[in-house]
Amino acid sequence: MAGGGGKPGAGSSAGPGTDSYAAMVERAKGLIPELRDRAPRTEELRRLPPETERALHESGLFRIVQPRRVGGSELDYVALVDCADALGQADASVAWNFANLASHHWMLGMFDRHAQDAVWNANADALIASSFIFPAGRARKADGGYVLRGHWPFSSGVESCEWNMLAGVVSSDDEADGIEYRIFLLNRSDYRINDTWNATGLCGTGSNDVWVEDTFVAEKMTVSVSELTGGPTPGSEVNPNALYALPVFSLFPYVLSGVGLGNAQACLNDYVEFARHRASTYNRAKVSDLQTTQIKIAEASAKIDAARLVMRTNCIEAMDDARRGRVPDLAGKTKLRRDGAFSVNLCTEAVSLLFAASGARSLFTSGALQRQFRDAHAVNSHLAFNFDAAGTNYGRVALDLPSENLTL
């Protein structure tokens, strides 16, 4: 896995330059052969196979950004990119669920300790799903908490999870109070799962719908988005590492950007291997001797390398800023969102380029290329990677207009 390095800042013991960090990335790489072989079955099941889920647990990968005080690795944030990059070179669906579910241990570390204890005291390995589509949920204030209802799509890996973080809008009878964006942590007994995930890409993620009907959620089992914009959070008292002081939704794209990166890298690796050993079907010319082949490899690899550099640099710099107590201003936050979308778009462009260059062989369902193409475009369809949205908001802020992203 190529890409930028960077030493961890002061006070870090699990950053990109440490042995423990490198060991965890190597564990992810070590899973590539078996996960790649299992990819067709993962698509058929439409969720992670039990043996894949077990391997991710046994490797410790689900817990890479979980607080050390409960047995997690507490690695730097860029670990999500690097490990998803490795797993994505095997199967984007596995990498997607890994990154999603691992990141929720990081987010839970920012909740009130009561919420952390409710989950981790019972089972430190418990998996937590999510759906951060705020308009999908509506909540009203009640004595000691909130009453929540809603219907959320795209809750990836939800069948494997004991808990779920669901986003909602809190409204008040007093119009002067306005509305509030808040995240609610619910046990599986408090929501219903609808099996709706029949998709053309990321088929194995089991990103099903979740329903909640007027369920009470205690105040301490929730967190306001305004508490996750950078700096101390409700969880800082027990989790003082700078990892838990990062601006959550500014860095949101990088939870999943490594998936698109690894998928594109796998596509490039496969194409190079094909080109080295094949001859044209029609004139038997060596594919490797064709100038067009050489140019396509150069262009795709440049896009992938540039994407990796952008992703990793932004995550490493964000950690360095957090260690120094610095929170990016609105312009900096919109830049993070812009770069997250742009870098994944580069990966999608690289896959599309290689798919087109592969000719008729790309059409066979028995090969990995068609899955890599479908998965690349499925990753790119996530709102976090919509460059029109991220670019518009970046441009608005650059022009001194109000931001349209209410989570930053």
Side-chain angles (χ1 to χ4, degrees):
M1 190 161 50
K7 294 182 179 180
S12 171
S13 60
T18 63
D19 290 342
S20 58
Y21 189 100
M24 198 59 74
V25 174
E26 285 303 312
R27 289 186 197 179
K29 290 181 179 179
L31 293 174
I32 291 176
E34 67 175 270
L35 296 179
R36 186 169 173 121
D37 288 346
R38 201 179 294 141
R41 180 163 174 258
T42 302
E43 287 209 312
E44 289 173 10
L45 290 176
R46 298 184 297 118
R47 58 172 293 181
L48 296 189
E51 55 268 42
T52 296
E53 195 174 309
R54 183 166 58 250
L56 292 172
H57 275 300
E58 290 174 351
S59 67
L61 284 165
F62 277 135
R63 301 175 69 179
I64 58 171
V65 285
Q66 184 185 41
R68 223 181 263 114
R69 70 180 185 85
V70 293
S73 297
E74 208 168 286
L75 301 183
D76 279 7
Y77 188 77
V78 70
L80 288 168
V81 171
D82 287 344
C83 291
D85 180 358
L87 295 173
Q89 293 180 42
D91 184 342
S93 286
V94 174
W96 184 271
N97 273 11
F98 148 75
N100 258 302
L101 304 183
S103 74
H104 300 149
H105 281 304
W106 166 63
M107 289 186 65
L108 182 55
M110 302 181 193
F111 276 66
D112 184 276
R113 180 169 187 166
H114 176 88
Q116 297 180 44
D117 289 348
V119 177
W120 291 329
N121 282 0
N123 179 9
D125 284 309
L127 297 179
I128 308 164
S130 72
S131 181
F132 296 122
I133 302 175
F134 288 90
R138 288 288 187 271
R140 66 179 188 275
K141 294 180 181 179
D143 187 23
Y146 303 85
V147 175
L148 176 69
R149 68 178 302 146
H151 173 202
W152 293 262
F154 308 126
S155 190
S156 297
V158 66
E159 289 284 0
S160 302
C161 296
E162 298 176 39
W163 298 82
N164 209 316
M165 291 180 179
L166 298 172
V169 178
V170 180
S171 56
S172 170
D173 292 335
D174 185 349
E175 292 185 3
D177 289 344
I179 63 171
E180 177 191 27
Y181 278 13
R182 187 166 283 268
I183 299 170
F184 302 83
L185 180 62
L186 279 71
N187 185 268
R188 184 169 180 145
S189 60
D190 291 325
Y191 55 85
R192 185 175 81 251
I193 300 169
N194 279 13
D195 185 354
T196 55
W197 190 245
N198 294 283
T200 58
L202 295 174
C203 301
T205 61
S207 301
N208 291 311
D209 289 9
V210 171
W211 287 81
V212 173
E213 299 287 349
D214 292 326
T215 297
F216 176 78
V217 186
E219 175 82 29
K220 290 185 177 180
M221 299 294 285
T222 75
V223 67
S224 173
V225 167
S226 64
E227 297 174 302
L228 304 177
T229 57
T233 65
S236 293
E237 183 179 349
V238 291
N239 302 317
N241 191 314
L243 177 64
Y244 307 103
L246 292 169
V248 170
F249 287 99
S250 304
L251 288 164
F252 192 54
Y254 306 94
V255 168
L256 296 167
S257 65
V259 180
L261 179 63
N263 184 65
Q265 186 67 59
C267 187
L268 174 63
N269 294 346
D270 290 351
Y271 182 80
V272 170
E273 185 65 20
F274 158 80
R276 281 179 180 150
H277 303 291
R278 295 299 179 92
S280 168
T281 303
Y282 294 100
N283 60 16
R284 308 311 296 166
K286 286 186 176 181
V287 173
S288 60
D289 287 340
L290 300 176
Q291 187 181 55
T292 54
T293 299
Q294 298 156 8
I295 292 171
K296 294 295 189 294
I297 290 171
E299 184 178 352
S301 62
K303 289 177 185 290
I304 294 166
D305 287 350
R308 181 176 286 111
L309 182 62
V310 169
M311 292 176 196
R312 299 193 79 253
T313 298
N314 280 353
C315 291
I316 291 169
E317 289 182 351
M319 280 296 305
D320 287 343
D321 282 345
R323 289 189 180 99
R324 292 172 172 81
R326 294 198 297 254
V327 177
D329 60 13
L330 187 57
K333 290 177 176 180
T334 58
K335 178 182 180 295
L336 288 169
R337 296 290 299 226
R338 180 202 70 183
D339 289 356
F342 185 74
S343 57
V344 167
N345 283 196
L346 286 176
C347 294
T348 308
E349 290 169 8
V351 172
S352 295
L353 178 75
L354 296 171
F355 184 84
S358 296
R361 83 179 185 94
S362 63
L363 303 177
F364 288 93
T365 57
S366 58
L369 182 55
Q370 48 81 28
R371 172 171 51 81
Q372 291 160 349
F373 179 81
R374 290 185 286 108
D375 286 346
H377 285 272
V379 170
N380 211 104
S381 69
H382 193 287
L383 181 61
F385 307 130
N386 184 315
F387 190 75
D388 286 351
T392 295
N393 204 46
Y394 177 84
R396 286 182 62 84
V397 172
L399 294 167
D400 294 326
L401 297 172
S403 169
E404 292 183 334
N405 188 328
L406 302 179
T407 66
L408 299 182

